[in-house]
Amino acid sequence: MPGVGRLLILGGTGEARRLAAELAGLSGLAVVSSLAGRVRAPALPQGEVRLGGFGGALGLARWLRAEHVTAVVDATHPFAARMTANAAVASEATGVPLLVLRRPGWTAGPGDVWRRVGPLDTPDEAEAALAGCGDRVFLATGRGHLAPFASLDRWFLLRSVDPPQPPLPRRRHVVLDRGPFTVDGERALLAEHRIDVVVTRDSGGTMAAAKLAAARDAGIPVLLQRRPPLPPGVEEAATVAGAIAWVERLLS
Ligand code: NAP
């Protein structure tokens, strides 16, 4: 196949879905999107989709060769660090070009009371980050990142698409819901549960930003977990348009 040929999009984000939709009509290009397969009813991208892990960096390299993939866009979530690291290693091993599509992180505006923290991988790090904050915590870090908080003696509001799995904090309330969320809805949630502090990750984008606006309105502090660094030397785009331009450059 001429040009780029077969493009793999590592997905699981709104940007990945937009990229798949926008590239669907490009001639000379076959797109396959990959999802980890963790969410029970995932929002599916347009076009061909595969589900499940590849079996580490070597498994991904094997898959790229077997499927004759000629380029990869890693459009996974900014905190999906393992997948991004694997993509970088597999790209290096196979010579298949890789672009990492990462939306910019959030920047504080007037009225925001943010403290950047992280990593929050251990109970000690979680406790240290929360020191001096009130008892009632809206822990909005995603259901895969709750374990470091499980042993802490605080009250936690947890929210996720699918039910979170143990270990979970003893004092907790779980809300099952899927974004995007509205500022009004988030404000009501913070008030209903008398939240003292919000803990979230610097995901960026609009899907998860409403809680930050609601926290600002309510004067509630936010602990914002820093992003993991990208593997050294990887090519990066901040927008879907930038990723399309990269693909078009390869095609031409
Ligand atoms: P991760 O920790 O970086 O990856 C763990 C493993 O999951 C990878 O080694 C890989 O398994 C598999 N995997 C991850 N993304 C994959 C993909 N797009 N296609 C196929 N396999 C994938 O990732 P994570 O943080 O658990 O995120 C998993 C998925 O959820 C990603 O697609 C991500 O975009 C999406 N997501 C994550 C977050 C978040 O907060 N982390 C938020 C929203 C959406 P193998 O090693 O077996 O290949």
Side-chain angles (χ1 to χ4, degrees):
M1 205 179 292
V4 164
R6 192 158 158 76
L7 175 77
L8 171 66
I9 300 175
L10 297 168
T13 59
E15 285 83 357
R17 288 190 293 278
R18 284 216 311 281
L19 184 63
E22 297 216 19
L23 290 176
L26 220 57
S27 75
L29 182 68
V31 176
V32 55
S33 294
S34 174
L35 300 178
R38 306 254 181 75
V39 178
R40 227 174 280 152
L44 289 176
Q46 197 174 317
E48 191 185 341
V49 177
R50 67 162 298 286
L51 288 178
F54 298 93
L58 293 181
L60 176 59
R62 271 195 300 274
W63 198 89
L64 295 179
R65 288 195 189 101
E67 295 289 326
H68 307 289
V69 171
T70 47
V72 178
V73 175
D74 170 13
T76 56
H77 190 270
F79 281 80
R82 188 147 19 117
M83 189 69 254
T84 297
N86 289 351
V89 171
S91 163
E92 184 79 33
T94 57
V96 175
L98 167 70
L99 178 78
V100 177
L101 169 55
R102 278 287 172 283
R103 57 189 177 227
W106 287 312
T107 41
D112 283 317
V113 185
W114 293 1
R115 184 150 53 85
R116 294 193 183 262
V117 296
L120 300 178
D121 295 332
T122 66
D124 283 350
E125 287 167 352
E127 184 60 60
L130 282 167
C133 300
D135 179 55
R136 299 178 71 83
V137 183
F138 178 16
L139 185 54
T141 53
R143 71 183 176 124
H145 307 268
L146 305 177
F149 296 85
S151 58
L152 271 50
D153 184 24
R154 289 171 184 271
W155 183 93
F156 289 94
L157 173 64
L158 310 174
R159 181 172 65 192
S160 50
V161 178
D162 292 325
Q165 301 302 311
L168 296 174
R170 186 175 54 83
R171 294 195 291 132
R172 64 175 185 270
H173 177 75
V174 176
V175 173
L176 298 182
D177 206 350
R178 184 199 293 261
F181 302 102
T182 65
V183 178
D184 282 350
E186 298 294 66
R187 218 183 275 129
L189 190 76
L190 296 180
E192 179 190 351
H193 295 287
R194 293 176 286 115
I195 296 300
D196 295 314
V197 59
V198 176
V199 180
T200 190
R201 295 175 303 161
D202 187 9
S203 301
T206 53
M207 290 272 286
K211 59 180 171 289
L212 299 174
R216 179 198 313 133
D217 291 351
I220 293 173
V222 175
L223 303 185
L224 201 62
Q225 195 180 339
R226 284 186 204 92
R227 292 176 169 199
L230 284 180
V234 296
E235 213 172 331
E236 212 187 329
T239 61
V240 171
I244 292 171
W246 181 82
V247 172
E248 284 176 339
R249 271 201 303 280
L250 289 183
L251 266 174
S252 60

